[in-house]
Each structure stands twice: as structure tokens, then as C-alpha cells.
Amino acid sequence: MSSTASPVLSPSFGASGSRMSSLYLTTRAASAASVLLRTRRSSFAGNASRLALSPSPEPSPEPLRFAGGGGPFRRRRLADSPVARAAAAADAEGREVGVPDGLAKPSESFGERYPALVTGFFFFMWYFLNVIFNILNKKVYNYFPYPYFVSVIHLLVGVVYCLVSWAVGLPKRAPIDKELLALLTPVAICHALGHVMSNVSFAAVAVSFTHTIKALEPFCNAAASQFILGHQIPLSLWLSLAPVVIGVSMASLTELSFNWTGFISAMISNLAFTYRSIYSKKAMTGMDSTNVYAYITIIALVFCIPPAVIIEGPQLMQYGFKEAIAKVGLFKFLSDLFWIGMFYHLYNQVATNTLERVAPLTHAVGNVLKRVFVIGFSIVVFGNKISSQTAIGTAIAIAGVAIYSLVKANIEEQKRKGAAAPAQ
């Protein structure tokens, strides 16, 4: 087999850096070069024949070492790794395997890292929105005393808000059928009645007095549970309600803004919300609270429109709208109606979301503190003059609600422990 001669570079270089061509090598140098080439060709041929004919060698048991590395690198199967063995053991025992510190962990959301901070923010927004709503709502009633129509506006703004939220997918609308509609309708009727009667009371008396009367709602709940549902209410719970009744009575006797319309409508509101709680327990569904409240708002609006049209419609058309616009202007009138509706819906929605994040006792205490904030801010903002007896009665009523919440939560906790004991 003939071979093509390749030029061989001389290992020696001149001072000027010139190279000597292989054509001028001495005979001895050329002979040595040819021997070197033949030796390399034979070595390459031998290696090729071994590669072609010899079976593949067994893997060396010695550890593989890499240049520059200080330790051996052994080839492992995936099943031999510590992570795989830990996962297999955890799977066999039916438990989850922890992620080692050296491996990547899924990032936690802000709410998962700081749950207490998020819950505190929910409480703050609940109080803030409720206080703003009560103040703006009372300011509207000072120049537009039509609570039935204003109640419709509250719910109408909430319905528009829900429809827009569904349209953008925040949250995604949950489907509703006839059976669920039948369950939610009694809840919505009670919600509508309680809402309208609360607004009638807000329009008739001071905001602080209405909230003092509404402190009797736990008493109404206990009475309904005892005499309507047939549930046995412990004596300790009835005794805890005594300060509430006494405090409301003291505040009512000396309330400067007292009138029977405001008092009776607030009591009807308490009864309506009591029945709402009863029907809500019967209408427990797998739907999330945001969608449930949205459907209740829509149904309640349907039931609020007819009485608003019948009771206040003629007066509104004759002089109600004209007088309000003449007092504050069209833009402020419309903006006030929009914002009180928005704050009403948002504070109720945030209150519902807060209840999902905390225990019932925490929510009950928070509700008591909310009422204290509303009463205090309304007195400061509107400058309502209250007698010493009214202030003492209000304080006693609020303290009674707090005691009732603690006693009720303790009773519920004992029931849960008693129900869980046989299962263990």
C-alpha cells in the first residue's frame, strides 16, 4: 500500500525563525522519520483490529478518577441514590418524604410565610371598610332619607361587582341548579329583610344606638335555637347574655335620638339575621363563600326592589331625587350612592373571608371589637351627644357580647372534644 509523503517539520529553528523543508533533510534523518511513520501506522492498525475483533471489556471495578479532581467518581444507578432510597422507604410507609436542605424547594407564597400578617390585614380591612360604610351611609341619610331605595343601591352595586368579577374570572363563577337555588332563597330573603331593616334604623336614629341594639343579636340567636330549633341552651350561656340585655336597656332609656321606628326596625333586623343563620346551616354547600355571597346578593336584590318601589317610589319621583340633587349636586349624589354600595359589599365579603381564616371565637371577638370601633368613630365624626347612662349601658352591652362569645366558644370546643373522643 503506497503512502503519500507528508512534510516533516524540523525540530530546530534558526535565529530568524525560518523552517527547514523536509526535502533537504539528511538521509539519516529521513530514514529515522520513515521508521517512525511505519511504527505509528502499525500501532494504529493493531488498535483497530483489537477494536474490531475483541469483545467489549468488563467495566473496571476501580473508581473513575478525573484530572483535577481529588475524589473518586463511581457510576451509580438511579435506584442506588440516597434520595431514591428515601423516597421508596417513605412510599412504603405511606408518608411524605422531606426535601433535603441542599436540594431546591418550592417557593412559598407571602401568605404561607406570614399567615399572621395576612390575617391581621384582613381584620384591618374589615374594620376600615365597615367604619367607612357606616359613616358615609349616615351622611347620605342626612340629605336623602330613603332607606328602602338606598338598600337596593347597596345590593345593586354589589351585583354589578360580582358580575364584573365573574366576567374576568376572579373568582370563576360556580354553577347553580334548582336545588341549590331553593336552598339559598330563604337565606337571601332573610338577608334582604335584615339589611333593609338595619338601614331603616340607621336613617331613624344615631348609628351608635343602632349598633347598640344590634348587640342583642346573640340573644336572638340563643332564643331561636332554644324555642324554634329545640336545642338546649346551657344556663351559663343565658347568664352571659344578661349584661347584654341590661346594657341595651340602659342605653335605650336615655338615648337622645331614640324613637320606636329605629328601635323596632333594629330588632327586626336581629331576628332576620338570626333566621339567616338558621337557614345558612341548612344550606351548607360545597361552593366557596365568595360565590355563595354573590348568589345571595343577587337573590336579595330581587326581593328588595318591590317594597322600595311601592313604599318610596312615588315620593322619590315627586321630590326625593330633586331635593337630594339640589342639596349636594348630581355628581356627589351619584358618587355617594356608588361608594356606599361598594363599601357595603366589600366589608361583607372581607368579613366572610376573614371567618374562613380564623377560628369562630377569634371571629366573634373581632366582631365585638368592630362594633366598638363603629360606635366610637360615629360618635366622633357626627358629634352625637350621649348621656353618661347611655355610654355605660353601651359599654355593658359590648362587654356582655364579649363574655357570651367566650362562653359559647368554650362550649363548642367541649362538644368537639367529646365527639372526637369515641373516635380515638
Side-chain angles (χ1 to χ4, degrees):
M1 179 178 179
S2 61
S3 61
T4 306
S6 300
V8 180
L9 298 180
S10 171
S12 59
F13 295 85
S16 61
S18 60
R19 301 172 186 268
M20 295 181 62
S21 172
S22 61
L23 296 177
Y24 300 98
L25 289 173
T26 62
T27 305
R28 184 176 179 180
S31 175
S34 62
V35 171
L36 179 60
L37 289 174
R38 284 196 300 271
T39 304
R40 288 181 175 176
R41 281 198 294 267
S42 62
S43 176
F44 292 156
N47 291 338
S49 63
R50 283 196 300 270
L51 289 173
L53 300 177
S54 300
S56 58
E58 294 295 330
S60 173
E62 294 298 322
L64 297 176
R65 298 180 181 270
F66 295 89
F73 290 82
R74 296 184 182 271
R75 289 172 290 188
R76 295 176 176 175
R77 294 179 301 170
L78 181 60
D80 295 334
S81 65
V83 176
R85 288 197 299 268
D91 184 61
E93 298 175 5
R95 58 182 174 82
E96 294 183 355
V97 62
V99 180
D101 293 336
L103 300 179
K105 297 181 180 180
S107 58
E108 294 181 344
S109 64
F110 183 84
E112 293 174 339
R113 288 183 292 175
Y114 307 102
L117 188 61
V118 175
T119 301
F121 174 75
F122 270 88
F123 271 99
F124 170 77
M125 292 304 299
W126 179 19
Y127 290 7
F128 173 76
L129 294 171
N130 192 276
V131 168
I132 297 299
F133 162 73
N134 279 276
I135 292 175
L136 291 182
N137 202 47
K138 185 60 178 179
K139 286 185 175 181
V140 169
Y141 286 135
N142 287 338
Y143 69 84
F144 188 69
Y146 297 95
Y148 289 88
F149 178 79
V150 172
S151 299
V152 170
I153 296 299
H154 291 165
L155 297 174
L156 179 61
V157 174
V159 168
V160 174
Y161 178 88
C162 294
L163 294 178
V164 173
S165 299
W166 281 340
V168 299
L170 294 173
K172 184 178 180 181
R173 187 183 72 85
I176 188 172
D177 53 18
K178 292 182 179 180
E179 181 180 356
L180 183 57
L181 181 63
L183 289 174
L184 293 180
T185 297
V187 180
I189 293 175
C190 294
H191 179 73
L193 178 61
H195 177 54
V196 171
M197 289 296 101
S198 294
N199 278 284
V200 171
S201 180
F202 285 139
V205 296
V207 174
S208 58
F209 182 58
T210 298
H211 278 280
T212 303
I213 301 172
K214 288 177 71 65
L216 284 173
E217 188 175 331
F219 177 83
C220 297
N221 285 331
S225 298
Q226 176 84 46
F227 302 111
I228 297 177
L229 297 181
H231 298 165
Q232 188 64 34
I233 303 299
L235 179 61
S236 59
L237 204 60
W238 283 114
L239 292 177
S240 68
L241 288 170
V244 181
V245 177
I246 294 173
V248 172
S249 300
M250 290 178 59
S252 300
L253 290 175
T254 57
E255 171 60 37
L256 301 178
S257 66
F258 178 86
N259 63 58
W260 285 107
T261 300
F263 180 83
I264 294 175
S265 58
M267 288 300 299
I268 295 175
S269 173
N270 287 337
L271 294 174
F273 287 137
T274 296
Y275 277 95
R276 183 185 65 178
S277 300
I278 294 173
Y279 286 118
S280 296
K281 295 178 181 178
K282 296 181 180 180
M284 294 298 291
T285 66
M287 189 183 300
D288 63 282
S289 61
T290 303
N291 275 289
V292 169
Y293 185 68
Y295 283 121
I296 290 176
T297 302
I298 294 172
I299 301 171
L301 174 62
V302 175
F303 286 96
C304 283
I305 292 176
V309 173
I310 295 172
I311 297 174
E312 296 178 344
Q315 301 175 21
L316 289 172
M317 298 303 297
Q318 290 179 6
Y319 51 83
F321 291 127
K322 294 179 181 179
E323 290 182 353
I325 295 173
K327 291 178 181 178
V328 298
L330 178 60
F331 177 78
K332 179 171 175 54
F333 176 57
L334 296 178
S335 63
D336 284 349
L337 292 178
F338 169 77
W339 283 115
I340 59 175
M342 181 63 70
F343 281 120
Y344 170 78
H345 181 83
L346 290 178
Y347 103 73
N348 278 281
Q349 185 60 67
V350 171
T352 304
N353 297 140
T354 305
L355 179 59
E356 291 181 335
R357 298 187 59 88
V358 299
L361 172 60
T362 305
H363 192 270
V365 174
N367 199 33
V368 173
L369 294 177
K370 178 211 71 175
R371 216 172 283 283
V372 173
F373 271 88
V374 172
I375 292 174
F377 274 98
S378 64
I379 292 174
V380 172
V381 171
F382 296 107
N384 297 331
K385 295 181 179 180
I386 58 174
S387 64
S388 299
Q389 183 174 331
T390 299
I392 295 173
T394 301
I396 293 175
I398 296 300
V401 174
I403 296 172
Y404 166 83
S405 301
L406 293 171
V407 173
K408 184 178 180 181
N410 186 40
I411 293 174
E412 293 296 330
E413 183 64 24
Q414 292 177 355
K415 287 182 179 179
R416 283 194 294 269
K417 289 181 179 179
Q424 294 178 352

